[in-house]
Amino acid sequence: MNATIKARIEAIFDQVIKRNPGEPEFHQAVWEVIDTLGPVLHKHPEYAEQKIIERICEPERQIIFRVPWQDDRGEVQINRGFRVGFNSALGPYKGGLRFHPSVSLGTIKFLGFEQTFKNALSGMPIGGAKGGSDFDPKNKSDGDVMRFCQSFMTELYRHIGEFTDVPAGDIGVGAREIGYLFGQYKRITNRYESGVITGKSPAWGGALVRREATGYGTVYFAREMLNVRGVSLEGKTAVVSGSGNVAIYAIEKLQEYGVKVVACSDSSGFIHDPDGLDLDTIKQIKEVERGRIGAYRVTHKKATYTANGNIWDVPCDIAFPCATQNELNEASARTLVANGCIAVSEGANMPTTPEGVKVFLDAGICYGPGKAANAGGVATSALEMQQNASRDAWSFEYTDKKLQNIMMDIHRDCYETAKEYGLKNNYVAGANIVGFRRVAAAMLAFGII
Ligand code: NDP
C-alpha cells in the first residue's frame, strides 16, 4: 500500500479509537475493514477527498433508552435499550436486535458497522443498523419476555418504520420475541405495517426460508468456495459452533448435502458425536425446551459433553463458527489447520479474531468472513420486505432458490473483486471492497450529508 494512503488510514483509525473509547469490538470491526481499503482509495482519490471512510465510521444516529418492566414476582426491572442507525445510503436502516447480558453500545456499533457492508454486499436496497438490550431472555417466562418486549417497543416504535428502519432478530431474539415486538408496534401505531420488522412467523407476514436463511446461506457460501477449488461438500466432516438459529439450520443443510456434523455447542460447553449429530434431538432441546446442549447425552450415550471446552479441538474438514464474536482465536485457528481443516465459513458476526483470520489466510484455506458468508439472513429479510410491500407470499422452493442465487452472486462478487485487486482467494478483502464501493458511490452522489 502506498505510504501516504497507509498513513491516512492509520490516522482515521486513531481518530475512531479516540472518539469511541472503551469499545474494543467496534475498533476491531473498523480496523478489519479499513485496513483492506488502501487499494480502493488509490483507484478512487475522490473517496479520500470527500472523507467517505471518515463519514462511514461515524454512525448516522445512536439511540439509547431506558426499558423498565415488571417481572412475574412483581419486581421492577430496568434494562438499557439501543438502536444504532449506522448508514442509510442504500436504503432504510436494516439489522437485527440482540438481547444478551453482554450487549453494550460498543457491541451494537460493531454489529451495525459490519451490517452496513454486509447489506451492501447482499445487493439489496438496505442500509445498515443494529440494536438490542442487555436483557437476558434465558430462563425467563413467556410473561417476562412479553412485558420486556412491550416496554422495549414502547420507546423503539417512534424510531422505526418500513421506510426508516427495519429491525429483525439476532442472538436472543427469535420468533417469540419478534411476535411480542410486532404486536406492541401494531397496537401503538394503529397500523398493520408488516414491513416494519422481519423474521416474523409465516403465519402473519413472515417469509418462508427466513428462519433457515442464515444457516443455509453459510453452507451455500462454503459450497461455492469449495467449488472454485473443485472440491465438493459431500462426505466431509464438519464442526458447527452454537446451537441457536444459525447453527441449527447450518447443520440441517450440511446433513442434506451428505456432510457429517460431529459437534455443536452452547455457552455452557460442546457435544461431540462421532457418528454424526441427531438434529431432531438438538431442535427439541434448544428450540422447544430452551434447555442446555449437554442434555443431548441423556438419549445419546455414545456422545461426549465437554463443559467449558473448546469445540475447535474437534478435528473436521470444514468449520462453521455460528455462535458469537471472537469465539475462534489464533490458537484454535492453528489447531483447525493442523487437523486438516480446508474451509471456514462464518455464520456468526466476527467470530474469528484478527490473529485467527491471519492464520487461515496464511494457510491458504478457504475462509469466508461473516460479512459475506452469513449475508443470506439479511438478504432473505429484504425478500420478506418485498413480499410485505406487494402483499404476496412466495413458496419455500422459490425463496430458497432466490437465496441460493444471492449467495452465489455474493461469492462471485467477492472472488472477482479480490482477483481484480491482485488478492486472489482473499474473501476478506473482496467482501470489504465490494461493500465499501457500493456504499461510497451512493454517499458521493448524495453530497455532504
Ligand atoms: P441464537 O440466540 O439463536 O443462538 C446463539 C447461540 O450461540 C446459542 O447456542 C448460544 O448459547 C451461543 N452463544 C451465545 N453467546 C455465546 C458465548 N459468549 N459463548 C458461547 N456460545 C455462545 O442466535 P443466532 O443463531 O441468531 O446468532 C448467532 C450468531 O449469528 C451471532 O453472531 C449473530 O449476530 C449472527 N447472525 C445471526 C443472523 C440471524 O439471522 N439470526 C444473521 C447474521 C448473523 P446459549 O444457548 O447457551 O445462549
Side-chain angles (χ1 to χ4, degrees):
M1 198 192 306
N2 154 328
T4 322
I5 291 178
K6 189 166 181 286
R8 184 183 182 114
I9 288 176
E10 284 170 0
I12 295 172
F13 187 55
D14 285 346
Q15 209 36 40
V16 167
I17 293 179
K18 263 195 208 118
R19 300 186 81 177
N20 304 277
E23 297 178 350
E25 291 165 336
F26 178 52
H27 304 161
Q28 181 184 335
V30 168
W31 183 250
E32 280 191 22
V33 172
I34 68 176
D35 185 36
T36 59
L37 297 181
V40 190
L41 289 193
H42 190 69
K43 259 196 186 173
H44 296 273
E46 68 277 20
Y47 293 160
E49 278 154 29
Q50 294 298 315
K51 298 202 173 169
I52 297 288
I53 300 185
E54 289 89 329
R55 282 196 266 157
I56 279 187
C57 291
E58 183 67 19
E60 288 177 12
R61 66 184 200 185
Q62 308 179 52
I63 297 147
I64 304 179
F65 51 99
R66 181 171 68 201
V67 190
W69 57 284
Q70 210 164 9
D71 69 17
D72 285 342
R73 293 164 303 160
E75 200 172 312
V76 175
Q77 302 284 347
I78 295 112
N79 286 100
R80 187 172 287 178
F82 303 92
R83 186 70 183 166
V84 174
F86 223 100
N87 193 295
S88 60
L90 293 175
Y93 300 123
K94 180 90 197 82
L97 298 171
R98 175 176 293 190
F99 292 169
H100 193 272
S102 65
V103 164
S104 66
L105 182 61
T107 318
I108 300 300
K109 278 163 71 179
F110 120 62
L111 289 163
F113 184 80
E114 288 272 300
Q115 195 82 45
T116 300
F117 297 92
K118 181 193 309 188
N119 293 4
L121 191 52
S122 77
M124 298 302 205
I126 43 180
K130 204 78 187 189
S133 173
D134 56 1
F135 172 75
D136 186 1
K138 217 176 278 167
N139 302 322
K140 297 278 193 311
S141 69
D142 286 353
D144 276 355
V145 173
M146 181 186 73
R147 284 187 297 280
F148 171 80
C149 288
Q150 289 177 340
S151 180
F152 184 85
M153 186 52 87
T154 301
E155 173 58 36
L156 187 69
Y157 90 95
R158 66 185 97 246
H159 308 292
I160 61 176
E162 67 174 302
F163 299 109
T164 313
D165 185 352
V166 183
D170 189 77
I171 291 180
V173 179
R176 173 181 61 170
E177 291 74 17
I178 295 289
Y180 294 145
L181 290 164
F182 181 69
Q184 183 73 349
Y185 181 87
K186 184 172 83 62
R187 186 182 185 198
I188 298 175
T189 59
N190 193 32
R191 285 157 66 94
Y192 203 110
E193 194 182 325
S194 304
V196 73
I197 197 163
T198 59
K200 301 181 293 292
S201 158
W204 43 271
L208 291 172
V209 190
R210 175 60 190 90
R211 181 183 61 175
E212 293 83 359
T214 310
Y216 280 18
T218 300
V219 176
Y220 295 146
F221 196 86
R223 183 192 72 190
E224 293 305 300
M225 289 196 296
L226 290 172
N227 263 350
V228 169
R229 301 184 181 202
V231 178
S232 112
L233 277 171
E234 201 183 344
K236 299 287 182 297
T237 300
V239 165
V240 178
S241 66
S243 51
N245 171 263
V246 179
I248 283 179
Y249 293 96
I251 296 172
E252 184 168 282
K253 184 51 73 180
L254 284 166
Q255 291 184 341
E256 247 180 76
Y257 277 139
V259 175
K260 186 156 81 168
V261 186
V262 293
C264 75
S265 60
D266 66 15
S267 55
S268 320
F270 73 86
I271 51 167
H272 179 202
D273 191 339
D275 293 341
L277 294 173
D278 170 5
L279 187 57
D280 287 341
T281 302
I282 293 168
K283 283 184 176 176
Q284 176 65 25
I285 296 169
K286 299 303 287 189
E287 290 188 331
V288 180
E289 296 163 14
R290 296 180 187 273
R292 311 309 302 152
I293 199 66
Y296 185 85
R297 281 211 66 244
V298 173
T299 46
H300 294 74
K301 304 284 183 216
K302 269 170 78 184
T304 55
Y305 171 68
T306 311
N308 305 316
N310 185 359
I311 191 170
W312 309 118
D313 290 341
V314 178
C316 64
D317 300 313
I318 315 171
F320 291 85
C322 294
T324 194
Q325 64 267 18
N326 292 328
E327 55 163 309
L328 201 168
N329 63 16
E330 181 180 0
S332 299
R334 287 194 192 288
T335 306
L336 280 168
V337 172
N339 284 340
C341 175
I342 55 168
V344 177
S345 189
E346 295 183 340
N349 285 312
M350 209 170 74
T352 310
T353 63
E355 299 77 22
V357 172
K358 187 166 182 313
V359 171
F360 294 145
L361 294 179
D362 288 350
I365 68 167
C366 299
Y367 168 67
K371 234 178 251 109
N374 72 34
V378 75
T380 309
S381 275
L383 299 179
E384 185 171 329
M385 291 162 72
Q386 285 182 19
Q387 291 168 76
N388 294 150
S390 59
R391 302 192 184 284
D392 201 355
W394 306 338
S395 72
F396 192 96
E397 292 68 29
Y398 179 78
T399 317
D400 187 36
K401 190 77 209 147
K402 277 191 172 278
L403 168 63
Q404 286 204 50
N405 288 338
I406 291 167
M407 295 313 295
M408 287 163 75
D409 287 351
I410 293 174
H411 174 272
R412 185 206 55 218
D413 290 348
C414 294
Y415 182 80
E416 295 295 336
T417 304
K419 211 161 79 176
E420 176 193 332
Y421 281 86
L423 297 160
K424 197 168 170 217
N425 292 326
N426 185 333
Y427 292 93
V428 178
N432 289 340
I433 294 172
V434 175
F436 174 76
R437 284 198 310 207
R438 288 182 184 158
V439 178
M443 287 177 71
L444 212 55
F446 294 152
I448 319 260
I449 58 165

